[in-house]
Amino acid sequence: MNPTPQIIVLDAGGQYCHLEARKVRDLGVYAEVRPSETRAGDLAGAKGIIISGGPASVYDPESPTCDPAIFSTGQAVLGICYGQQLMAHLLGGTVTRGEKGEYGLATLELDEADDPLFSGLAGRQQIWMSHRDVVAEPPAGFTVVGRTDTCAVAAISAAERKLYGVQFHPEVVHTLRGREYLRNFVFGVCECVPDWEPRGRVLTLEQEIRDTVGGRSVFFFVSGGVDSSVAYTLCTRALGAGRVRGVYVDTGLMREGETDFVSRLGVTVEQASDRFLGALAGVTDPERKRHIIGEEFVRVQERIIDARHIFEENWILGQGTIYPDTIESGGTAKAAVIKTHHNRVAGIRKLIESGRIVEPLKSFYKDEVREVGRELGLPAELLERHPFPGPGLAIRCLCAESGAAVRATPDGYVIPVHSVGVQGDSRSYAPVLAINASAAIDGHAALDHERATALINRLSGVNRVIAAVATRAPLAEMRVRASSLTPERIERLRRADAIVRRISHESGFDGTVWQFPVILIPLGAGVAPDSVVLRPVDSVDGMTARSVAMSPELLDRMCQELMAIPEIAGVFYDLTHKPPATIEWE
Ligand code: XMP
């Protein structure tokens, strides 16, 4: 059983609520997330409430709000960013639209304040801001205790009522003293006592699994990812391997060595690559790829469930669901699509509906799952894995309906291969701009990520900039070839991906990035039909991401090995942040 949460984070949209809850848990205090509109009466057990940041404006009629009664229960409340604005708005202050907005690093000037939240933090300090609206006038009874050059009300306090607001984000690392603000809130204001330690929970988790499962057996679909592997291992430890069955579906779209890697966990491998690759033959459209893969998963899973009589009463389903998955705002839209496909399997639905499910990690965040995995003795190689998309290499192997030449423009070469981007709130699907790595954009070095991203914002009709690091022919002479998803191209990509992964691992570079997709594009030169794109990114949750710089030596090493593959016409380096591009190309 988890403790009763001492801190509840009200989710006001976006992903900040999870970061805030995680940072509170890092302090050793159990925190959970609830929808922002949760009634005050349902929050009664908590010592403190955090109203999270979010992208909305309090004047938008659709924007998240909260129960105003939470401000008069005597519980402490900290509003962060949008949370501060909402608190000010509901208590009679004024919020206005800022002239320019403030995004990124800023300097906070914090007054000496005689209250437990701001105690010991007075002075100038680096903070991180991301807002357009501002609190113009705090509610009656509040004191303004902090400001920046462009934000006059950056921290407010009504200490005797235990109500506080900050316009900046204490939960992000760029707010250098952020952890101290949270610690002051949790221990100084709310007087919480430490009650949460993900380490040392293995025995409790095992007991919980035994209590839930009773005398039955557990069936798992294991993906090779961290969550399902840790959940599966916990169940085998709790119940003994004989009562836990794990199956891994080899779709033929996995990375090199993946199947061997997963079988070391003791799961059975269901070979289905012919089915998947057969169903995908000739397909070029990315969403159709996803759909076909989802449908195929459904069929394979249904067959496995039928063949092993999993419907019968003595089976229950194990899943590696983690905390953000249980809350509506978690996950990306695309991940959600994949999940819908998986959840559609009638057999699985039946097990879930009848309560025959065990999800041992459902209140843990990813880093806490890694902690549990370490305690179980699982190898770092598994626990530190980068995220890998469900549809696998299929969405990293780009296709083209027909052949076409590249088009020279004053800014570079437009490559008629479409990739996905995110501009504003909508997704774009547009060609890519390639520049020579030796050339300069606007007088800056070509491998300049900020410039590349600025270029996209200036140009229309493209959503990504890649630099040609090595090519078999000048860019102007390269051509896009008509191509679809074939076993040969998947194998080519798998080989290129394995090279990049190995070098990235040997050099330690993989430990510095969040994810490192390698993409195959049908851009050829002479007899070589395809090119490879390197896409190292840093991110916190995948919602936004920064393209990461690689040293010339590292790039050079990768290029040498990749260009030794005769079918590879060129190596490119994706310089674009998200937004305006996305992490994956499709
Ligand atoms: P994007 O490309 O949207 O990716 O910037 C954000 C994160 O989501 C992963 N991703 C997927 N994961 N099924 C998945 O399970 C998918 O269809 C899918 N598409 C993207 C991506 O790898 C990144 O971590």
Side-chain angles (χ1 to χ4, degrees):
M1 277 293 287
N2 292 320
T4 306
Q6 295 183 72
I7 300 288
I8 288 181
V9 181
L10 295 181
D11 175 7
Q15 292 285 308
Y16 290 111
C17 57
H18 286 302
L19 203 49
E20 289 152 5
R22 250 173 59 199
K23 291 292 160 126
V24 172
R25 289 190 187 187
D26 282 350
L27 295 167
V29 169
Y30 189 62
E32 285 190 359
V33 174
R34 299 272 189 280
S36 67
E37 275 92 5
T38 306
R39 312 296 309 167
D42 296 329
L43 303 171
K47 294 184 172 158
I49 295 164
I50 292 177
I51 311 175
S52 84
S57 166
V58 292
Y59 291 116
D60 178 350
E62 304 289 304
S63 64
T65 185
C66 63
D67 180 354
I70 64 170
F71 302 118
S72 45
T73 60
Q75 284 161 299
V77 183
L78 170 63
I80 295 180
C81 187
Y82 175 77
Q84 167 176 268
Q85 295 161 13
L86 183 60
M87 179 185 218
H89 177 64
L90 292 173
L91 291 174
T94 18
V95 176
T96 55
R97 182 134 278 242
E99 267 173 29
K100 286 205 308 238
E102 202 176 11
Y103 305 95
L105 299 181
T107 303
L108 173 75
E109 187 71 54
L110 188 76
D111 302 338
E112 284 291 346
D114 183 21
D115 69 50
L117 183 71
F118 298 109
S119 145
L121 287 161
R124 287 169 70 78
Q125 54 201 282
Q126 177 184 308
I127 53 163
W128 191 81
M129 292 282 217
S130 177
H131 67 104
R132 175 139 200 152
D133 290 4
V134 288
V135 175
E137 195 64 54
F142 277 76
T143 314
V144 178
V145 294
R147 62 204 62 79
T148 71
D149 284 349
T150 44
C151 176
V153 184
I156 54 175
S157 140
E160 64 297 341
R161 290 154 70 194
K162 293 200 272 186
L163 304 180
Y164 298 92
V166 289
Q167 184 54 61
F168 55 92
H169 287 268
E171 72 279 16
V172 307
V173 289
H174 311 294
T175 296
L176 296 182
R177 306 188 70 181
R179 190 176 158 90
E180 293 173 68
Y181 284 89
L182 292 175
R183 192 194 296 131
N184 279 356
F185 180 67
V186 168
F187 297 114
V189 180
C190 302
E191 300 180 358
C192 295
V193 283
D195 64 349
W196 181 246
E197 171 56 273
R199 249 175 311 222
R201 288 187 62 83
V202 165
L203 292 179
T204 321
L205 287 170
E206 287 178 7
Q207 189 53 49
E208 282 171 21
I209 291 169
R210 282 191 289 273
D211 292 346
T212 310
V213 176
R216 300 171 291 185
S217 297
V218 182
F219 181 81
F220 262 93
F221 281 109
V222 177
S223 70
V226 178
D227 309 337
S228 62
S229 304
V230 171
Y232 169 78
T233 309
L234 268 174
C235 286
T236 56
R237 288 246 316 220
L239 305 167
R243 284 173 58 201
V244 185
R245 294 270 179 79
V247 171
Y248 164 81
V249 178
D250 184 349
T251 59
L253 300 167
M254 309 313 281
R255 303 170 122 185
E256 190 179 286
E258 187 70 10
T259 302
D260 286 348
F261 184 86
V262 179
S263 32
R264 268 183 264 148
L265 289 171
V267 300
T268 312
V269 176
E270 180 81 11
Q271 204 25 272
S273 44
D274 289 349
R275 298 178 65 104
F276 278 84
L277 294 176
L280 287 166
V283 175
T284 54
D285 177 69
E287 279 316 305
R288 252 182 64 72
K289 285 182 192 171
R290 277 200 173 76
H291 188 75
I292 291 170
I293 293 165
E295 291 291 314
E296 214 47 56
F297 256 117
V298 171
R299 276 192 213 110
V300 172
Q301 292 187 336
E302 209 99 68
R303 211 183 54 207
I304 294 169
I305 286 176
D306 278 347
R308 294 177 202 200
H309 309 290
I310 306 292
F311 287 130
E312 291 167 10
E313 283 305 312
N314 60 333
W315 282 100
I316 84 170
L317 181 74
Q319 291 206 136
T321 313
I322 66 169
Y323 189 52
D325 301 338
T326 63
I327 295 185
E328 213 174 292
S329 58
T332 67
K334 283 187 294 185
V337 169
I338 292 303
K339 277 188 197 134
T340 331
H341 286 309
H342 290 190
N343 292 347
R344 265 222 311 269
V345 178
I348 287 185
R349 258 206 329 251
K350 200 168 150 189
L351 291 171
I352 295 173
E353 279 161 14
S354 55
R356 285 154 63 197
I357 181 158
V358 58
E359 296 176 312
L361 300 171
K362 67 169 181 294
S363 45
F364 288 80
Y365 283 110
K366 188 73 131 201
D367 22 356
E368 297 173 328
V369 171
R370 293 201 171 104
E371 247 350 304
V372 174
R374 271 191 280 277
E375 207 182 333
L376 287 169
L378 290 171
E381 190 192 354
L382 168 72
L383 299 175
E384 303 306 329
R385 305 196 101 189
H386 293 165
F388 186 69
L393 298 177
I395 57 161
R396 292 183 177 171
C397 184
L398 271 71
C399 307
E401 290 281 354
S402 52
V406 303
R407 182 164 56 83
T409 71
D411 296 294
Y413 296 86
V414 175
I415 313 285
V417 164
H418 281 61
S419 90
V420 177
V422 47
Q423 279 147 318
D425 277 340
S426 50
R427 297 181 84 76
S428 58
Y429 193 51
V432 179
L433 186 76
I435 56 170
N436 279 306
S438 53
I441 320 170
D442 296 348
H444 287 72
L447 296 183
D448 182 327
H449 303 253
E450 305 312 320
R451 285 274 137 187
T453 299
L455 192 61
I456 292 300
N457 293 337
R458 184 157 61 76
L459 299 176
S460 59
V462 289
N463 59 7
R464 217 177 262 276
V465 176
I466 57 177
V469 196
T471 52
R472 292 196 197 276
L475 267 177
E477 291 166 24
M478 295 184 82
R479 265 189 80 78
V480 167
R481 320 276 173 105
S483 48
S484 63
L485 212 54
T486 59
E488 294 72 34
R489 292 189 74 229
I490 292 280
E491 190 46 45
R492 196 169 296 151
L493 171 56
R494 189 178 285 123
R495 194 170 156 199
D497 177 71
I499 290 173
V500 174
R501 237 183 346 150
R502 175 173 44 75
I503 298 176
S504 165
H505 183 65
E506 285 168 2
S507 64
F509 183 71
D510 62 351
T512 69
V513 293
W514 194 70
Q515 203 177 5
F516 193 165
V518 174
I519 298 107
L520 194 77
I521 58 173
L523 180 66
V527 293
D530 284 309
S531 292
V532 168
V533 183
L534 308 173
R535 173 102 179 107
V537 291
D538 197 16
S539 176
V540 174
D541 52 19
M543 301 294 284
T544 60
R546 301 186 63 77
S547 169
V548 174
M550 280 195 279
S551 70
E553 299 73 42
L554 186 63
L555 259 181
D556 206 47
R557 223 179 121 194
M558 288 178 181
C559 276
Q560 283 199 8
E561 285 203 37
L562 290 168
M563 293 302 281
I565 304 176
E567 295 83 13
I568 298 297
V571 176
F572 293 80
Y573 178 12
D574 189 339
L575 300 174
T576 336
H577 298 319
K578 171 185 181 179
T582 46
I583 296 177
E584 305 288 352
W585 275 45
E586 290 197 328

